[in-house]
Every structure is written in C-alpha cells, then in structure tokens.
Amino acid sequence: ILISSAGRRVELVEIWKKEAKKYLGNDVLVYANDINPNLSAACNLADSFFQICKVSNDDFINILMKECLTKNIGIIIPTIDTELEKLSKFRDVFLKKGINIIISDIDIIKICRNKIITSKFFKTLGVDSPEIFEKNNLKFPLVCKPYDGSSSLGLKIIKNHSALSKEDISNSKNIFQD
C-alpha cells in the first residue's frame, strides 16, 4: 500500500499500517513517498519510503509506475489534491498492471478542484455553501482565494474595502466568498 505525498500525514500511515496488518496479514507493507522523504514524518514512520518528483514533472506517472511495480505496491492512496486529476486520468493504466488507485472519477475531481463549479454543483443538490460574490458587488468581510487553490495558498481574509488591493481584483483566479 502506498500513501502518496505523505508529508506529515503520520496518523494516516499509522491507521493503514494497523488496519492492513489486521485484515490483510503481517506481510503487508505500507510505503510512503514524498518529494523530500527524509523531511517527511510520515515517510519515516512508514515501513519503507521512496522519493517522488513533483506531479507537474512529465515523468511523474512513469516514475510512480516503476516504483509501484518494483515494490509490488497494489494500492495507491493519494493525499494531495494536485495529484488527483493526473492520477485519475491514469487509473486504468495502473489497474491493468494490478495497481488500484483509490480515487474518484475525473468528472468528480474536476468539480471539486474548481471552487466555482463546486459551489454550483452544491446548489443543484440543495447543499448550502458560502456565497461567491461578483467582483463588482463585494460584501465585507470576505475571503479571497484562488478558485483552484490548495492548502490555503493565496487565501486572504479581507475585512473592508480599503484592505482590498488592485492585485486581488485583477487576479483572474481569485474568487470572493462570504
């Protein structure tokens, strides 16, 4: 079992180690990978680990496949949203090699990776979510963040109009939410 981009996900590695051994036997190994595995607490807790390149690297899929085949990894559990779309696109390729990526279909991932589309989808289901304001009709305080953001990167709490910058408004990736 591979926990991908494990980083600080120590609890996830602990749970999989415990449950895999309980239900699948003592010979199951839980691997972890990361860009900097020696700095990853989860990699250091896993049964074994390996270094992986960034998902944006053209060789990411080939490297991941090679490592999984070499290490007899049969299950991949992705942990970061930036990997999801690429891994979902290649799920069938991995499955043909006996490697099951535990991941949603690409259509669901595309909905969830875009906060504007997610909000519209929630509305069709009757699920409340924070209102997204038009740039010319902002209500303060508000949250400014990229529609495709991850890990709270680029997120700002803007309390009033004077705290709003021209860059906040002109950045085409930014959305403004209640």
Side-chain angles (χ1 to χ4, degrees), residues 6-135:
R8 298 174 298 194
R9 293 168 184 85
V10 169
E11 294 85 1
L12 187 62
V13 170
E14 287 174 335
I15 289 167
W16 276 98
K17 283 176 70 171
K18 177 184 171 193
E19 298 302 316
K21 287 179 187 355
K22 183 163 71 173
Y23 291 103
L24 301 174
N26 288 330
D27 57 340
V28 174
L29 296 177
V30 175
Y31 285 84
N33 71 11
D34 202 85
I35 293 171
N36 295 306
N38 292 321
L39 301 177
S40 164
C43 282
N44 286 290
L45 179 70
D47 294 317
S48 190
F49 64 83
F50 61 91
Q51 186 171 15
I52 191 72
C53 58
K54 289 185 178 186
V55 71
S56 57
N57 185 310
D58 290 340
D59 290 329
F60 175 80
I61 291 297
N62 292 330
I63 293 167
L64 182 61
M65 176 71 77
K66 180 182 174 197
E67 291 287 348
C68 288
L69 292 172
T70 301
K71 293 169 176 36
N72 198 29
I73 292 170
I75 298 172
I76 299 174
I77 302 163
T79 64
I80 59 171
D81 47 5
T82 53
E83 291 180 333
L84 298 180
E85 193 167 337
K86 187 174 264 187
L87 289 175
S88 185
K89 286 179 184 176
F90 286 92
R91 178 173 44 186
D92 290 340
V93 174
F94 277 78
L95 200 51
K96 286 178 184 171
K97 300 282 187 176
I99 304 163
N100 189 3
I101 303 174
I102 309 301
I103 196 165
S104 297
D105 291 333
I106 190 71
D107 294 337
I108 297 296
I109 292 168
K110 285 183 178 182
I111 289 170
C112 295
R113 287 287 299 136
N114 183 317
K115 293 166 181 62
I116 297 167
I117 296 171
T118 303
S119 178
K120 290 176 183 175
F121 179 67
F122 282 171
K123 284 183 181 157
T124 67
L125 298 175
V127 175
D128 288 335
S129 63
E131 180 181 355
I132 297 176
F133 303 126
E134 296 296 326
K135 289 183 180 186

Side-chain angles (χ1 to χ4, degrees), residues 133 138-142 158-164 176 178:
F133 303 126
L138 300 176
K139 298 174 189 166
F140 297 93
L142 58 80
I158 301 176
K159 294 185 179 186
N160 53 49
H161 191 273
S162 63
L164 187 66
F176 304 90
D178 189 16

